[in-house]
Amino acid sequence: MRLWKLMVPVALCLALAGCFERIVEPADVFGNIRQGGNYSPASKMIDDWYAVETIDIQTFAINEPRSSQYNPPYLIVGDTQAIMFDAGSGERPAGSQSMREVAERYTDKPITLILSHFHYDHIYDAAKFEGVTLIDRPEIRANIRGGTYTISALESVDAEMPPLKVAAVIADGDVIDLGGRRLDVLNLPGHTTESVVLLDRVSNQVFTGDFIYQHLGGIIAFSPASDLQAYKANSTRLLQLTNADTLFFGAHGIPRFGRGWLILMDSELGKIVMGKPEYRYVAHYLAPGIPWRVQQNGSMYIYTTPLVDPPLFWSKWTVMVLAGLCTITLYLLYRVVFPLVVPARQKRSGTKPGY
Ligand SMILES: [Zn+2]
């Protein structure tokens, strides 16, 4: 691609982004925690890239402090097997350890990989595991071919991934027995349709992926598979399944937050779905150039699509409306602006129109 072809859309996006308020910059996403720092004093660097926090003797957050995404995948261990919940941001340097190699330093049990969802910043080392256990949804089952599943570009919001061997399919409500430790599997659409949350009722821990996390980057409900109605219904469901003492572990930012954060998100989502949001339009650093709507209450930001909700925004109707607007604009340029510019040039050069 010629450089100018890339520069024109980038310049347009940046110009458009400049028109909207930027309420969160990447540099202040984590407050005092700067890129390269650790999430918590309990998180220790184990090499140049990873920092591991021992949550308890059977639970580990494997952080990537130097990644822009600040995601902590979790290793959840039982007496006979372990779960790796997510597979890395994809920003680790060449030659560094894979998420699987790091996980194997903390358990000798067989590791099953479960992805919290399919976005690019959670799946990088997925193919390094023996196979992946997928959530049982019709669209996922329909795309398992020859025992493999390929995460599409639309699902990853990036490039198509190499095919992953499917180890198993688990349904919402299933219980995974790790030997002396059981995890309830929840499929909670909202951020994405395939979003998985794991609940350990005995330890009173819940691993939430991107369904909810705590940092100033905000909750993302603008991706192609986001659904605000489902988000609200499922946040209420998660509230009902947890209690005041439950510890939450999200897939970005500082692991470990309390239920109050979920209560706040549920309340703000409630305003959105009841038709009483207090939206304003802002830029978001993850996708500059598009004026996202944000619902804000204190440090809780929920970002969603402009004008209409995500399913409609990402549908063919938006493409058709944009195509229509472009056609009208080009027509007006041709009929109104072009006749004004061309005679003026002809006048300057002294040429007369031919007949
Ligand atoms: Zn995500």
Side-chain angles (χ1 to χ4, degrees):
M1 182 188 284
R2 285 176 186 271
L3 191 59
W4 68 267
K5 286 185 179 173
L6 193 64
M7 287 172 69
V8 168
V10 169
L12 282 173
C13 285
L14 292 175
L16 191 57
C19 302
F20 296 94
E21 185 189 2
R22 293 176 67 96
I23 54 177
V24 175
E25 300 289 348
D28 56 26
V29 163
F30 296 96
N32 293 328
I33 297 172
R34 293 283 178 264
Q35 203 167 331
N38 277 331
Y39 299 93
S40 71
S43 184
K44 301 274 184 272
M45 294 300 293
I46 61 160
D47 59 15
D48 289 341
W49 185 252
Y50 296 101
V52 176
E53 177 172 351
T54 303
I55 294 164
D56 58 45
I57 55 166
Q58 288 187 306
T59 314
F60 305 87
I62 302 176
N63 301 308
E64 297 178 79
R66 295 196 167 93
S67 77
S68 64
Q69 300 288 337
Y70 290 83
N71 14 0
Y74 295 90
L75 177 65
I76 307 162
V77 184
D79 293 337
T80 55
Q81 57 170 310
I83 296 286
M84 186 73 231
F85 194 45
D86 278 351
S89 68
E91 296 180 26
R92 66 180 176 84
S96 57
Q97 298 181 88
S98 70
M99 191 56 68
R100 178 178 178 175
E101 288 171 315
V102 176
E104 285 174 344
R105 291 171 61 158
Y106 294 87
T107 181
D108 56 0
K109 308 291 184 296
I111 300 173
T112 299
L113 174 67
I114 297 178
L115 298 171
S116 67
H117 62 303
F118 295 161
H119 282 168
Y120 67 96
D121 50 323
H122 300 269
I123 60 177
Y124 182 71
D125 279 328
K128 302 280 186 197
F129 291 80
E130 292 299 320
V132 61
T133 294
L134 297 173
I135 195 70
D136 191 358
R137 293 190 57 87
E139 69 276 13
I140 289 177
R141 271 197 184 272
N143 286 308
I144 297 174
R145 297 202 173 87
T148 66
Y149 186 85
T150 302
I151 296 175
S152 69
L154 190 67
E155 289 172 316
S156 74
V157 206
D158 195 39
E160 183 177 291
M161 292 291 288
L164 298 174
K165 187 176 158 216
V166 178
V169 177
I170 46 170
D172 177 73
D174 280 358
V175 177
I176 301 172
D177 190 346
L178 300 177
R181 187 175 194 184
R182 292 157 67 85
L183 295 173
D184 287 25
V185 176
L186 306 172
N187 175 209
L188 301 185
H191 177 71
T192 62
T193 50
E194 76 281 2
S195 289
V196 171
V197 169
L198 300 175
L199 173 62
D200 181 333
R201 291 177 189 266
V202 173
S203 301
N204 208 4
Q205 298 169 335
V206 59
F207 303 89
T208 58
D210 274 7
F211 183 80
I212 182 167
Y213 45 78
Q214 186 167 28
H215 72 66
L216 292 175
I219 300 295
I220 302 299
F222 62 58
S223 64
S226 294
D227 184 326
L228 290 161
Q229 301 286 333
Y231 223 139
K232 164 61 183 160
N234 286 318
S235 69
T236 304
R237 182 182 173 202
L238 191 56
L239 271 179
Q240 290 163 349
L241 291 167
T242 53
N243 56 54
D245 297 325
T246 305
L247 277 179
F248 289 72
F249 298 92
H252 292 286
I254 303 164
R256 203 193 305 259
F257 54 91
R259 190 164 173 264
W261 190 243
L262 177 61
I263 292 172
L264 181 57
M265 184 177 86
D266 186 65
S267 149
E268 295 308 302
L269 287 168
K271 292 177 191 170
I272 291 173
V273 302
M274 296 296 286
K276 294 179 182 165
E278 297 128 13
Y279 283 134
R280 63 189 205 278
Y281 280 85
V282 297
H284 193 282
Y285 62 91
L286 278 182
I290 299 179
W292 303 108
R293 288 180 296 178
V294 66
Q295 170 75 18
Q296 183 188 356
N297 186 342
S299 53
M300 168 65 71
Y301 301 86
I302 300 172
Y303 292 89
T304 193
T305 43
L307 297 174
V308 293
D309 289 348
L312 182 55
F313 181 81
W314 295 108
S315 72
K316 63 181 181 189
W317 297 107
T318 304
V319 178
M320 288 166 70
V321 167
L322 285 176
L325 286 173
C326 284
T327 307
I328 292 168
T329 306
L330 287 173
Y331 178 77
L332 288 174
L333 281 172
Y334 176 72
R335 294 305 298 258
V336 179
V337 180
F338 191 67
L340 290 174
V341 172
V342 171
R345 278 192 178 167
Q346 287 169 341
K347 214 173 178 180
R348 277 204 304 276
S349 63
T351 54
K352 290 194 173 80
Y355 294 97

